[in-house]
Amino acid sequence: LRRHSLERMGGASGLLLGLTLVSTTHAFLPPIHSIGKPIVSQLRRFRSPFSTNLKMSDPSSVLEKQNFSWQQTMMRVKDPKKSLAFYQDLMGMTLIDKLEFPDMKFDLYFLTTLPKGQEYKFAPGSVEAHKYLWTMKGATLELTHNYGTEDDADFKYHPGNQEKDGFGHVAFNVNDVYATSDKLEAAGCSFKKKPDEGRMKGLAFVYDPDGYWVEIVKRSENAKIENDFNLSQTMLRIKDPKKSIPFYESLGMTVCREMHGGDFSLYFLACLPPGVTPPADKASPEASEFVKCLFNPVLELTHNHGTETQDDFKHWVGNEEGHKGFGHIGFLVDDVDAACKAFDDMGCDYAKRPEGGKMKGLAFVKDPDGYWLEIIKRGGYGATVDPYYLEPQA
């Protein structure tokens, strides 16, 4: 295989070598106007028009029992030294774990925003760090480094935001966008947009070392967050919200806010703690305030109006040749096999089934746009707390 052709495709699963790629019918889900109704009833009565043998034994009730928790956004990076310096030193993130796969020539770095003053006592790479990573309530950035890319002057990843790219950016909330932008510029960062540029004032986009866009957003004045930065969103473009919104709701996410412009709409979804509910009017100032007070990130789904009517339209999802950069988002669940059984009944496609390949017990399911969602067992497997287990030796 050529250098760089052994591309790391998913979080903590290793190179997806020898995997059985499965193609089933796509998930076509109920209209957005019925979002207020329980997703259980939506999925119970739903049948994909292209499915001939779906079992449909109330899959969402199974998903509800798996305690889905959004846990990661994966991006490939060329040079981990530069990327770690950016996200740790400038964005205030903490490296909580590192997984090394020297035989397959890649490493994974997991960073998160911890509340200011919280001491992290575990050494990345230790069993204790693994336990923390695979049971945590918040979300991480998973930075994937394929060995050798840092030494190739011509090598670069695709950061998104070109024609039909799905991945848009990650974001951090701050108290003062202008002062923060000045500090980042003084530290040598370059910008896609400074806060006083363009029509939308008061927000900025800074480039990370790989050219990914990092949005800097003002948090609410009422937010009880002491951090200079907190990871606040991952943005993905979607083709049809009538399919995507119910899909992510079935994974335990809640629509917290909506914004509707002339030719686009934004939907902000989060995994909320029990007892926490957003305002009923998702387009209200109160909903905006609610999102800007959150410590953990939201998934921002961007819909450019009209794509849903184009049969042949699809976004690049980040794992195609020439478009590799962003890789996937990931969720922790209690039982991977049970979750995947429900995905089967929903008619979902897979990049990897839990029984596929040498690394068992984790899966990559595809959402309605084809984005990869890694499904990981909460707490990991065995004494080493790995997110997979190896097939027995013959």
Side-chain angles (χ1 to χ4, degrees):
L1 293 174
R2 295 184 299 106
R3 183 184 184 187
H4 307 316
S5 64
L6 293 179
E7 186 63 49
R8 197 275 179 181
M9 292 184 175
S13 67
L15 297 172
L16 299 183
L17 298 177
L19 299 181
T20 301
L21 298 181
V22 179
S23 177
T24 60
T25 57
H26 288 280
F28 291 89
L29 292 160
I32 197 167
H33 56 68
S34 59
I35 284 176
K37 301 177 182 178
I39 191 69
V40 172
S41 62
Q42 294 186 54
L43 290 174
R44 182 185 296 118
R45 67 174 179 266
F46 169 70
R47 291 293 190 274
S48 166
F50 298 101
S51 301
T52 57
N53 192 32
L54 294 185
K55 298 179 181 179
M56 294 308 299
S57 55
D58 199 359
S60 68
S61 66
V62 178
L63 293 179
E64 288 175 353
K65 296 176 182 178
Q66 297 314 310
N67 298 317
F68 275 77
S69 176
W70 178 30
Q71 192 256 1
Q72 61 180 248
T73 293
M74 189 277 265
M75 301 187 301
R76 301 170 178 92
V77 299
K78 176 177 179 175
D79 188 337
K81 292 182 179 179
K82 295 180 180 179
S83 296
L84 290 173
F86 178 86
Y87 286 105
Q88 288 181 280
D89 300 342
L90 298 181
M91 297 296 158
M93 303 191 80
T94 299
L95 178 66
I96 59 172
D97 205 2
K98 179 182 179 183
L99 304 183
E100 298 178 332
F101 298 87
D103 55 332
M104 293 182 282
K105 301 186 184 306
F106 72 89
D107 294 334
L108 310 177
Y109 301 84
F110 294 87
L111 301 100
T112 195
T113 303
L114 296 177
K116 186 175 182 179
Q118 179 177 323
E119 182 182 0
Y120 187 72
K121 300 179 180 180
F122 308 130
S126 67
V127 171
E128 291 77 16
H130 298 345
K131 290 179 180 178
Y132 184 93
L133 175 65
W134 302 126
T135 58
M136 65 184 295
K137 298 295 185 181
T140 65
L141 284 184
E142 177 192 351
L143 305 182
T144 296
H145 172 231
N146 292 291
Y147 296 177
T149 53
E150 70 277 18
D151 298 321
D152 185 343
D154 296 325
F155 184 87
K156 63 179 181 179
Y157 284 113
H158 185 75
N161 295 302
Q162 296 183 23
E163 184 69 22
K164 292 189 177 180
D165 280 335
F167 174 71
H169 60 262
V170 295
F172 290 81
N173 283 3
V174 300
N175 287 328
D176 188 326
V177 175
Y178 290 87
T180 298
S181 297
D182 288 342
K183 291 179 182 178
L184 293 173
E185 186 173 26
C189 295
S190 57
F191 287 77
K192 170 64 179 179
K193 177 195 177 302
K194 293 184 179 180
D196 56 352
E197 294 175 344
R199 291 182 298 172
M200 299 181 70
K201 309 297 184 184
L203 60 84
F205 284 90
V206 64
Y207 291 115
D208 88 345
D210 285 276
Y212 294 113
W213 294 16
V214 178
E215 186 176 12
I216 308 299
V217 183
K218 180 176 173 58
R219 66 169 65 103
S220 168
E221 299 285 353
N222 298 317
K224 298 178 180 179
I225 299 173
E226 297 181 359
N227 300 61
D228 291 335
F229 296 85
N230 64 288
L231 180 65
S232 61
Q233 63 181 239
T234 294
M235 190 276 265
L236 301 175
R237 298 175 180 90
I238 59 172
K239 177 177 179 176
D240 189 346
K242 294 180 181 179
K243 298 173 183 177
S244 297
I245 301 297
F247 178 86
Y248 283 100
E249 285 189 316
S250 75
L251 307 189
M253 303 195 84
T254 300
V255 178
C256 299
R257 181 192 180 197
E258 299 178 10
M259 283 181 59
H260 301 285
D263 56 1
F264 71 94
S265 294
L266 309 178
Y267 303 88
F268 299 84
L269 295 85
C271 290
L272 298 175
V276 177
T277 57
D281 183 354
K282 302 301 188 294
S284 67
E286 291 77 15
S288 175
E289 180 81 356
F290 178 87
V291 168
K292 291 180 180 180
C293 284
L294 294 175
F295 183 79
N296 288 325
V298 296
L299 183 63
E300 177 188 350
L301 301 181
T302 296
H303 172 227
N304 292 301
H305 299 168
T307 55
E308 72 279 11
T309 65
Q310 302 174 36
D311 292 340
D312 60 348
F313 182 88
K314 61 182 298 185
H315 290 107
W316 299 108
V317 300
N319 293 302
E320 305 90 345
E321 196 62 42
H323 295 269
K324 291 180 180 177
F326 164 81
H328 64 263
I329 59 175
F331 289 80
L332 297 180
V333 299
D334 291 342
D335 187 326
V336 174
D337 289 327
C340 288
K341 172 61 169 60
F343 286 130
D344 289 341
D345 288 345
M346 290 164 63
C348 295
D349 285 349
Y350 290 82
K352 178 199 178 301
R353 297 187 61 91
E355 69 274 15
K358 295 180 180 180
M359 293 182 172
K360 311 296 185 181
L362 60 81
F364 285 88
V365 68
K366 296 182 181 182
D367 84 346
D369 283 275
Y371 292 113
W372 293 17
L373 277 61
E374 186 173 15
I375 309 301
I376 311 156
K377 184 181 184 299
R378 181 174 287 104
Y381 296 97
T384 54
V385 197
D386 293 316
Y388 58 86
Y389 58 91
L390 297 176
E391 61 184 352
Q393 296 293 322

